[in-house]
Amino acid sequence: MTTRAAGEPSLPTMEPNIQVHQLHKRYGRTVAVDGLTFTVRPGQVTGFVGPNGAGKSTTMRVILGLDRPDTGTATIGGRPYRSLRTPLREVGTLLDAAAVHPGRRARDHLLWMAHSNGLPRSRVDTVLEMVGLTDVARRRAGGFSLGMRQRLGIAGALLGDPPVLMFDEPVNGLDPEGIRWIRNLLRSLAGQGRAIFVSSHLMSELEDTADHLIVVGRGRLIADTSVRDMLAAASGGRVVLRTKDRAAAMTRLANAGATVAATGPDELVIGGLPADRVVNLLSQAGVPFSEVAGHRASLEQAYMDLTRDSVEFSGAVKESR
Amino acid sequence: MYALHMEWTKLRTVATTGWWLLGLVACTVGLAAFVSSTVDAVNCAPRCDFDLPRLSLSGVYIGQIAAVALGALAVTTEYDTAMVRTTLAAYPRRGAVLAAKLAVVTVVVLGCAALGVLGSLAVARGILPGNGFTRANGYPPLSLGDRATLRAYLGTVLYLGLIAILSAGVGATLRNTAATVSMVLGMLYVLPIVIPFLPTGAWRDALYRYSPMSAGLTVQATRGLNALPIGPWPGLGVLAGYAGAAVLAGALLFRLRDA
Ligand SMILES: Nc1ncnc2c1ncn2[C@@H]1O[C@H](COP(=O)(O)OP(=O)(O)OP(=O)(O)O)[C@@H](O)[C@H]1O
Ligand SMILES: [Mg+2]
């Protein structure tokens, strides 16, 4: 026995996180994951985005020890998943909402999960309540709608009250109300200090939810960045200007060395000049303008630009613009 | 222990388990009643040469289908729905998961097999005397006090347990309910159907010895043991060999393959 000073944690506290290092996984000739390295940190929602077939689900299966990587490691708080004795207390996951026995009652589905980790029966009722399935708990999962199954899957993830949560496309097929519910849930779970890892093939689904983004394409890391930085990089410090006298403004600003593009009858996007210089120049020249603002690129557009080269199944016929 | 608790909860919370167990008991007892009522001591003189304990256990020929289904389903339903990923995320030690599945389904099948076999004994004892198999005619009632009869009954219970294990092992290998059930039923029924049509001789005896069902059910024989190609317990041992090989293959693949 060692004595410890008061206030010192009695256990070596390992940050609850997910670490993926140099991960490679191929299925036959298909390279699914090609050298991924990233960390999912506590206290924030980390979005895992990439086009279809980018390797998101594969990465998650490897993290869970379901699929064996060819090389590289994936750990939870520094430990491989397969070495966890009661994994549901450490990582909650929803991989596939359809992965329930259709003939088993919702409550019994959670009950066997609870038993698998020595969790008390009361947790089952708690999580049923949290996801709003209490009233249908005695119904068989086979009769559940997609939204109800997603909720059941999320209940299973929350069962062990884990500090790390991982969801694969949780809003797939949900109605707007369900999407909003999941968003709020993810935000509040992250607010409690948990590490939340959530995948989607659509950036728009994560735009308002994620703090951090891991963007993948064809199994490779394309970006590992905060949402704020990604937006800033996408807008490139450009300025949007509204003016009645578009021609005069364009001439004046171009002469000052800015790149100017007309994006509407009274709208210009200006690069190469900060907003205060734009205001000064136009005021001096007596060019009327009504609005100067930082250009807000949509995350979706930034994402499309990033992943354009790595979309696996882009249509043969390009959509006309 | 958590793995056993998990698998027990899974098994008891799907209705199909109950139906198959009921089917196991009902088929075993029902067929015993039917066969017992079709034999008649009057037709054979001076003395019937029936192996009465074995006749009373005929229900196993159909009842074992339930054992096949239960053993297979314990493993393969998880693959029909990808639920195996939920299972292994909850309990990553795969050897323990498979062992728990086998233990739980085997215990349940053994329990119901015992019920079915005792039910068969009861109906046979009730029906046979009415067909002339009375003590007065020289046919003592079936009794577990008789060593050979006890072996036949106990052996039949074990036979059904081994069938469930065999089926679960094949299930872990094939990971598909329909494929597993077809494969195991094929293994069981094809040879016993073919063998009677073959000319007697070394070949036929060899096939009998390698047929999991023919060899395994030798454990039911109480008469004319010397004429059989294999002894009762060694016969059951053949089935155990098949079951062991299937479990070994299934366990190895379960550990190695991606879930
Ligand atoms: N079990 C498997 N066997 C063979 N190929 C696989 C397997 N799992 C994934 N793949 C392949 O690996 C690649 C990555 O697939 P993965 O499912 O991880 O992508 P994803 O990013 O989750 O895509 P989506 O957004 O469509 O869900 C794909 O080309 C896929 O076809
Ligand atoms: Mg996927």
mmCIF file of all heavy atoms in Angstrom, chain A residues 74-108:
data_model
loop_
_atom_site.group_PDB
_atom_site.id
_atom_site.type_symbol
_atom_site.label_atom_id
_atom_site.label_comp_id
_atom_site.label_asym_id
_atom_site.label_seq_id
_atom_site.Cartn_x
_atom_site.Cartn_y
_atom_site.Cartn_z
ATOM 1 N N ALA A 74 -4.867 1.078 -33.016
ATOM 2 C CA ALA A 74 -5.984 1.918 -32.576
ATOM 3 C C ALA A 74 -6.165 1.627 -31.099
ATOM 4 O O ALA A 74 -6.218 0.460 -30.699
ATOM 5 C CB ALA A 74 -7.240 1.571 -33.353
ATOM 6 N N THR A 75 -6.221 2.677 -30.283
ATOM 7 C CA THR A 75 -6.348 2.463 -28.846
ATOM 8 C C THR A 75 -7.392 3.385 -28.240
ATOM 9 O O THR A 75 -7.712 4.439 -28.779
ATOM 10 C CB THR A 75 -5.008 2.719 -28.124
ATOM 11 O OG1 THR A 75 -4.535 4.017 -28.496
ATOM 12 C CG2 THR A 75 -3.966 1.678 -28.475
ATOM 13 N N ILE A 76 -7.915 2.941 -27.119
ATOM 14 C CA ILE A 76 -8.869 3.707 -26.331
ATOM 15 C C ILE A 76 -8.157 4.056 -25.034
ATOM 16 O O ILE A 76 -7.812 3.157 -24.262
ATOM 17 C CB ILE A 76 -10.112 2.860 -25.980
ATOM 18 C CG1 ILE A 76 -10.730 2.237 -27.225
ATOM 19 C CG2 ILE A 76 -11.117 3.682 -25.177
ATOM 20 C CD1 ILE A 76 -11.410 3.201 -28.135
ATOM 21 N N GLY A 77 -7.943 5.332 -24.798
ATOM 22 C CA GLY A 77 -7.219 5.722 -23.588
ATOM 23 C C GLY A 77 -5.902 4.971 -23.466
ATOM 24 O O GLY A 77 -5.480 4.602 -22.380
ATOM 25 N N GLY A 78 -5.272 4.710 -24.598
ATOM 26 C CA GLY A 78 -3.973 4.059 -24.582
ATOM 27 C C GLY A 78 -4.000 2.544 -24.606
ATOM 28 O O GLY A 78 -2.953 1.910 -24.649
ATOM 29 N N ARG A 79 -5.206 1.968 -24.556
ATOM 30 C CA ARG A 79 -5.273 0.497 -24.526
ATOM 31 C C ARG A 79 -6.026 -0.035 -25.730
ATOM 32 O O ARG A 79 -7.022 0.552 -26.154
ATOM 33 C CB ARG A 79 -5.980 0.045 -23.237
ATOM 34 C CG ARG A 79 -5.268 0.519 -21.989
ATOM 35 C CD ARG A 79 -6.126 0.247 -20.769
ATOM 36 N NE ARG A 79 -6.418 -1.172 -20.636
ATOM 37 C CZ ARG A 79 -7.420 -1.652 -19.908
ATOM 38 N NH1 ARG A 79 -8.214 -0.829 -19.261
ATOM 39 N NH2 ARG A 79 -7.608 -2.950 -19.821
ATOM 40 N N PRO A 80 -5.565 -1.173 -26.278
ATOM 41 C CA PRO A 80 -6.317 -1.760 -27.383
ATOM 42 C C PRO A 80 -7.702 -2.211 -26.903
ATOM 43 O O PRO A 80 -7.857 -2.690 -25.778
ATOM 44 C CB PRO A 80 -5.475 -2.968 -27.809
ATOM 45 C CG PRO A 80 -4.419 -3.137 -26.800
ATOM 46 C CD PRO A 80 -4.340 -1.924 -25.954
ATOM 47 N N TYR A 81 -8.695 -2.023 -27.758
ATOM 48 C CA TYR A 81 -10.073 -2.331 -27.359
ATOM 49 C C TYR A 81 -10.221 -3.756 -26.850
ATOM 50 O O TYR A 81 -10.916 -4.008 -25.875
ATOM 51 C CB TYR A 81 -11.008 -2.112 -28.550
ATOM 52 C CG TYR A 81 -12.470 -2.114 -28.173
ATOM 53 C CD1 TYR A 81 -13.108 -0.941 -27.822
ATOM 54 C CD2 TYR A 81 -13.209 -3.298 -28.152
ATOM 55 C CE1 TYR A 81 -14.446 -0.928 -27.466
ATOM 56 C CE2 TYR A 81 -14.548 -3.292 -27.805
ATOM 57 C CZ TYR A 81 -15.159 -2.109 -27.463
ATOM 58 O OH TYR A 81 -16.479 -2.104 -27.100
ATOM 59 N N ARG A 82 -9.536 -4.672 -27.512
ATOM 60 C CA ARG A 82 -9.705 -6.088 -27.141
ATOM 61 C C ARG A 82 -9.212 -6.395 -25.730
ATOM 62 O O ARG A 82 -9.519 -7.442 -25.183
ATOM 63 C CB ARG A 82 -8.967 -6.994 -28.130
ATOM 64 C CG ARG A 82 -9.699 -7.156 -29.441
ATOM 65 C CD ARG A 82 -9.120 -8.341 -30.194
ATOM 66 N NE ARG A 82 -9.642 -8.410 -31.544
ATOM 67 C CZ ARG A 82 -9.659 -9.532 -32.267
ATOM 68 N NH1 ARG A 82 -9.185 -10.649 -31.766
ATOM 69 N NH2 ARG A 82 -10.140 -9.520 -33.490
ATOM 70 N N SER A 83 -8.422 -5.488 -25.164
ATOM 71 C CA SER A 83 -7.931 -5.743 -23.813
ATOM 72 C C SER A 83 -8.867 -5.170 -22.756
ATOM 73 O O SER A 83 -8.633 -5.353 -21.560
ATOM 74 C CB SER A 83 -6.533 -5.146 -23.640
ATOM 75 O OG SER A 83 -6.634 -3.742 -23.494
ATOM 76 N N LEU A 84 -9.924 -4.485 -23.158
ATOM 77 C CA LEU A 84 -10.852 -3.906 -22.178
ATOM 78 C C LEU A 84 -11.728 -5.008 -21.588
ATOM 79 O O LEU A 84 -12.279 -5.827 -22.310
ATOM 80 C CB LEU A 84 -11.724 -2.835 -22.838
ATOM 81 C CG LEU A 84 -10.985 -1.681 -23.526
ATOM 82 C CD1 LEU A 84 -11.985 -0.747 -24.202
ATOM 83 C CD2 LEU A 84 -10.126 -0.920 -22.535
ATOM 84 N N ARG A 85 -11.845 -4.998 -20.266
ATOM 85 C CA ARG A 85 -12.643 -6.048 -19.611
ATOM 86 C C ARG A 85 -14.132 -5.723 -19.664
ATOM 87 O O ARG A 85 -14.958 -6.586 -19.872
ATOM 88 C CB ARG A 85 -12.196 -6.212 -18.152
ATOM 89 C CG ARG A 85 -10.807 -6.776 -18.010
ATOM 90 C CD ARG A 85 -10.856 -8.277 -18.175
ATOM 91 N NE ARG A 85 -9.812 -8.703 -19.099
ATOM 92 C CZ ARG A 85 -9.377 -9.950 -19.200
ATOM 93 N NH1 ARG A 85 -9.884 -10.899 -18.439
ATOM 94 N NH2 ARG A 85 -8.451 -10.266 -20.056
ATOM 95 N N THR A 86 -14.468 -4.476 -19.411
ATOM 96 C CA THR A 86 -15.868 -4.071 -19.500
ATOM 97 C C THR A 86 -15.947 -2.871 -20.453
ATOM 98 O O THR A 86 -16.106 -1.735 -20.035
ATOM 99 C CB THR A 86 -16.430 -3.693 -18.120
ATOM 100 O OG1 THR A 86 -15.518 -2.776 -17.498
ATOM 101 C CG2 THR A 86 -16.606 -4.900 -17.230
ATOM 102 N N PRO A 87 -15.822 -3.172 -21.746
ATOM 103 C CA PRO A 87 -15.683 -2.090 -22.732
ATOM 104 C C PRO A 87 -16.860 -1.121 -22.764
ATOM 105 O O PRO A 87 -16.666 0.046 -23.072
ATOM 106 C CB PRO A 87 -15.539 -2.833 -24.060
ATOM 107 C CG PRO A 87 -15.948 -4.230 -23.799
ATOM 108 C CD PRO A 87 -15.741 -4.504 -22.358
ATOM 109 N N LEU A 88 -18.066 -1.607 -22.427
ATOM 110 C CA LEU A 88 -19.215 -0.697 -22.520
ATOM 111 C C LEU A 88 -19.128 0.434 -21.511
ATOM 112 O O LEU A 88 -19.757 1.471 -21.667
ATOM 113 C CB LEU A 88 -20.531 -1.457 -22.321
ATOM 114 C CG LEU A 88 -20.861 -2.525 -23.356
ATOM 115 C CD1 LEU A 88 -22.254 -3.081 -23.117
ATOM 116 C CD2 LEU A 88 -20.747 -1.987 -24.768
ATOM 117 N N ARG A 89 -18.333 0.235 -20.466
ATOM 118 C CA ARG A 89 -18.140 1.302 -19.486
ATOM 119 C C ARG A 89 -17.132 2.314 -19.976
ATOM 120 O O ARG A 89 -16.962 3.371 -19.390
ATOM 121 C CB ARG A 89 -17.640 0.725 -18.155
ATOM 122 C CG ARG A 89 -18.624 -0.202 -17.464
ATOM 123 C CD ARG A 89 -17.919 -0.869 -16.283
ATOM 124 N NE ARG A 89 -18.695 -1.948 -15.697
ATOM 125 C CZ ARG A 89 -19.447 -1.812 -14.615
ATOM 126 N NH1 ARG A 89 -19.528 -0.646 -14.016
ATOM 127 N NH2 ARG A 89 -20.118 -2.840 -14.136
ATOM 128 N N GLU A 90 -16.402 1.986 -21.039
ATOM 129 C CA GLU A 90 -15.346 2.872 -21.520
ATOM 130 C C GLU A 90 -15.651 3.481 -22.877
ATOM 131 O O GLU A 90 -15.301 4.624 -23.127
ATOM 132 C CB GLU A 90 -14.026 2.111 -21.574
ATOM 133 C CG GLU A 90 -13.922 1.185 -20.366
ATOM 134 C CD GLU A 90 -12.523 0.940 -19.893
ATOM 135 O OE1 GLU A 90 -11.640 1.708 -20.241
ATOM 136 O OE2 GLU A 90 -12.343 -0.053 -19.157
ATOM 137 N N VAL A 91 -16.271 2.724 -23.744
ATOM 138 C CA VAL A 91 -16.615 3.233 -25.073
ATOM 139 C C VAL A 91 -18.033 2.801 -25.420
ATOM 140 O O VAL A 91 -18.351 1.622 -25.334
ATOM 141 C CB VAL A 91 -15.693 2.653 -26.165
ATOM 142 C CG1 VAL A 91 -15.870 3.432 -27.455
ATOM 143 C CG2 VAL A 91 -14.251 2.667 -25.735
ATOM 144 N N GLY A 92 -18.868 3.743 -25.791
ATOM 145 C CA GLY A 92 -20.198 3.389 -26.285
ATOM 146 C C GLY A 92 -20.206 3.548 -27.787
ATOM 147 O O GLY A 92 -19.642 4.495 -28.314
ATOM 148 N N THR A 93 -20.826 2.580 -28.487
ATOM 149 C CA THR A 93 -20.797 2.669 -29.944
ATOM 150 C C THR A 93 -22.144 2.360 -30.557
ATOM 151 O O THR A 93 -22.916 1.546 -30.051
ATOM 152 C CB THR A 93 -19.798 1.664 -30.545
ATOM 153 O OG1 THR A 93 -19.965 0.410 -29.900
ATOM 154 C CG2 THR A 93 -18.396 2.144 -30.400
ATOM 155 N N LEU A 94 -22.390 3.022 -31.658
ATOM 156 C CA LEU A 94 -23.489 2.662 -32.534
ATOM 157 C C LEU A 94 -22.898 2.530 -33.929
ATOM 158 O O LEU A 94 -22.499 3.509 -34.540
ATOM 159 C CB LEU A 94 -24.574 3.744 -32.533
ATOM 160 C CG LEU A 94 -25.612 3.597 -33.649
ATOM 161 C CD1 LEU A 94 -26.368 2.285 -33.525
ATOM 162 C CD2 LEU A 94 -26.568 4.755 -33.663
ATOM 163 N N LEU A 95 -22.783 1.291 -34.387
ATOM 164 C CA LEU A 95 -22.227 1.082 -35.729
ATOM 165 C C LEU A 95 -23.335 0.969 -36.752
ATOM 166 O O LEU A 95 -23.287 1.563 -37.810
ATOM 167 C CB LEU A 95 -21.394 -0.198 -35.774
ATOM 168 C CG LEU A 95 -19.999 -0.180 -35.180
ATOM 169 C CD1 LEU A 95 -19.240 -1.405 -35.628
ATOM 170 C CD2 LEU A 95 -19.245 1.063 -35.587
ATOM 171 N N ASP A 96 -24.327 0.152 -36.418
ATOM 172 C CA ASP A 96 -25.338 -0.190 -37.407
ATOM 173 C C ASP A 96 -26.650 -0.404 -36.664
ATOM 174 O O ASP A 96 -26.795 -1.351 -35.906
ATOM 175 C CB ASP A 96 -24.896 -1.477 -38.120
ATOM 176 C CG ASP A 96 -25.912 -1.951 -39.132
ATOM 177 O OD1 ASP A 96 -26.953 -1.290 -39.296
ATOM 178 O OD2 ASP A 96 -25.663 -2.999 -39.766
ATOM 179 N N ALA A 97 -27.584 0.500 -36.897
ATOM 180 C CA ALA A 97 -28.840 0.442 -36.148
ATOM 181 C C ALA A 97 -29.629 -0.826 -36.465
ATOM 182 O O ALA A 97 -30.479 -1.242 -35.691
ATOM 183 C CB ALA A 97 -29.686 1.671 -36.450
ATOM 184 N N ALA A 98 -29.341 -1.457 -37.602
ATOM 185 C CA ALA A 98 -30.094 -2.650 -37.974
ATOM 186 C C ALA A 98 -29.569 -3.896 -37.265
ATOM 187 O O ALA A 98 -30.155 -4.962 -37.369
ATOM 188 C CB ALA A 98 -30.024 -2.855 -39.486
ATOM 189 N N ALA A 99 -28.472 -3.756 -36.533
ATOM 190 C CA ALA A 99 -27.845 -4.918 -35.918
ATOM 191 C C ALA A 99 -28.522 -5.324 -34.610
ATOM 192 O O ALA A 99 -27.886 -5.417 -33.578
ATOM 193 C CB ALA A 99 -26.358 -4.652 -35.695
ATOM 194 N N VAL A 100 -29.817 -5.535 -34.679
ATOM 195 C CA VAL A 100 -30.534 -6.053 -33.505
ATOM 196 C C VAL A 100 -31.360 -7.252 -33.953
ATOM 197 O O VAL A 100 -31.762 -7.331 -35.106
ATOM 198 C CB VAL A 100 -31.486 -4.997 -32.894
ATOM 199 C CG1 VAL A 100 -30.708 -3.891 -32.238
ATOM 200 C CG2 VAL A 100 -32.410 -4.432 -33.949
ATOM 201 N N HIS A 101 -31.594 -8.180 -33.054
ATOM 202 C CA HIS A 101 -32.430 -9.332 -33.393
ATOM 203 C C HIS A 101 -33.872 -8.858 -33.489
ATOM 204 O O HIS A 101 -34.404 -8.298 -32.531
ATOM 205 C CB HIS A 101 -32.287 -10.395 -32.310
ATOM 206 C CG HIS A 101 -32.903 -11.715 -32.710
ATOM 207 N ND1 HIS A 101 -34.247 -11.862 -32.934
ATOM 208 C CD2 HIS A 101 -32.355 -12.924 -32.938
ATOM 209 C CE1 HIS A 101 -34.494 -13.119 -33.278
ATOM 210 N NE2 HIS A 101 -33.357 -13.782 -33.293
ATOM 211 N N PRO A 102 -34.514 -9.071 -34.648
ATOM 212 C CA PRO A 102 -35.863 -8.522 -34.821
ATOM 213 C C PRO A 102 -36.882 -9.122 -33.848
ATOM 214 O O PRO A 102 -37.901 -8.498 -33.568
ATOM 215 C CB PRO A 102 -36.211 -8.877 -36.271
ATOM 216 C CG PRO A 102 -35.257 -9.939 -36.666
ATOM 217 C CD PRO A 102 -34.020 -9.750 -35.852
ATOM 218 N N GLY A 103 -36.610 -10.303 -33.343
ATOM 219 C CA GLY A 103 -37.584 -10.950 -32.470
ATOM 220 C C GLY A 103 -37.391 -10.644 -30.994
ATOM 221 O O GLY A 103 -38.120 -11.171 -30.148
ATOM 222 N N ARG A 104 -36.427 -9.813 -30.678
ATOM 223 C CA ARG A 104 -36.161 -9.547 -29.268
ATOM 224 C C ARG A 104 -36.738 -8.192 -28.877
ATOM 225 O O ARG A 104 -36.675 -7.242 -29.654
ATOM 226 C CB ARG A 104 -34.646 -9.581 -29.027
ATOM 227 C CG ARG A 104 -34.258 -9.602 -27.569
ATOM 228 C CD ARG A 104 -32.764 -9.777 -27.367
ATOM 229 N NE ARG A 104 -32.339 -11.165 -27.503
ATOM 230 C CZ ARG A 104 -31.412 -11.604 -28.327
ATOM 231 N NH1 ARG A 104 -30.788 -10.763 -29.118
ATOM 232 N NH2 ARG A 104 -31.086 -12.877 -28.394
ATOM 233 N N ARG A 105 -37.307 -8.131 -27.699
ATOM 234 C CA ARG A 105 -37.868 -6.861 -27.230
ATOM 235 C C ARG A 105 -36.739 -5.865 -26.982
ATOM 236 O O ARG A 105 -35.637 -6.250 -26.602
ATOM 237 C CB ARG A 105 -38.647 -7.062 -25.933
ATOM 238 C CG ARG A 105 -39.834 -7.989 -26.087
ATOM 239 C CD ARG A 105 -40.454 -8.325 -24.736
ATOM 240 N NE ARG A 105 -41.215 -9.565 -24.815
ATOM 241 C CZ ARG A 105 -42.451 -9.645 -25.318
ATOM 242 N NH1 ARG A 105 -43.055 -8.561 -25.749
ATOM 243 N NH2 ARG A 105 -43.075 -10.792 -25.374
ATOM 244 N N ALA A 106 -37.069 -4.592 -27.187
ATOM 245 C CA ALA A 106 -36.047 -3.544 -27.051
ATOM 246 C C ALA A 106 -35.365 -3.634 -25.695
ATOM 247 O O ALA A 106 -34.140 -3.555 -25.577
ATOM 248 C CB ALA A 106 -36.702 -2.173 -27.220
ATOM 249 N N ARG A 107 -36.180 -3.838 -24.666
ATOM 250 C CA ARG A 107 -35.643 -3.862 -23.315
ATOM 251 C C ARG A 107 -34.683 -5.047 -23.133
ATOM 252 O O ARG A 107 -33.642 -4.924 -22.498
ATOM 253 C CB ARG A 107 -36.814 -3.979 -22.338
ATOM 254 C CG ARG A 107 -36.411 -3.788 -20.927
ATOM 255 C CD ARG A 107 -37.614 -3.589 -20.024
ATOM 256 N NE ARG A 107 -37.119 -3.210 -18.712
ATOM 257 C CZ ARG A 107 -36.521 -4.066 -17.898
ATOM 258 N NH1 ARG A 107 -36.390 -5.334 -18.246
ATOM 259 N NH2 ARG A 107 -36.066 -3.657 -16.739
ATOM 260 N N ASP A 108 -35.056 -6.183 -23.717
ATOM 261 C CA ASP A 108 -34.212 -7.377 -23.588
ATOM 262 C C ASP A 108 -32.906 -7.216 -24.355
ATOM 263 O O ASP A 108 -31.866 -7.750 -23.953
ATOM 264 C CB ASP A 108 -34.959 -8.608 -24.088
ATOM 265 C CG ASP A 108 -36.112 -8.972 -23.169
ATOM 266 O OD1 ASP A 108 -36.041 -8.611 -21.978
ATOM 267 O OD2 ASP A 108 -37.083 -9.592 -23.646
#
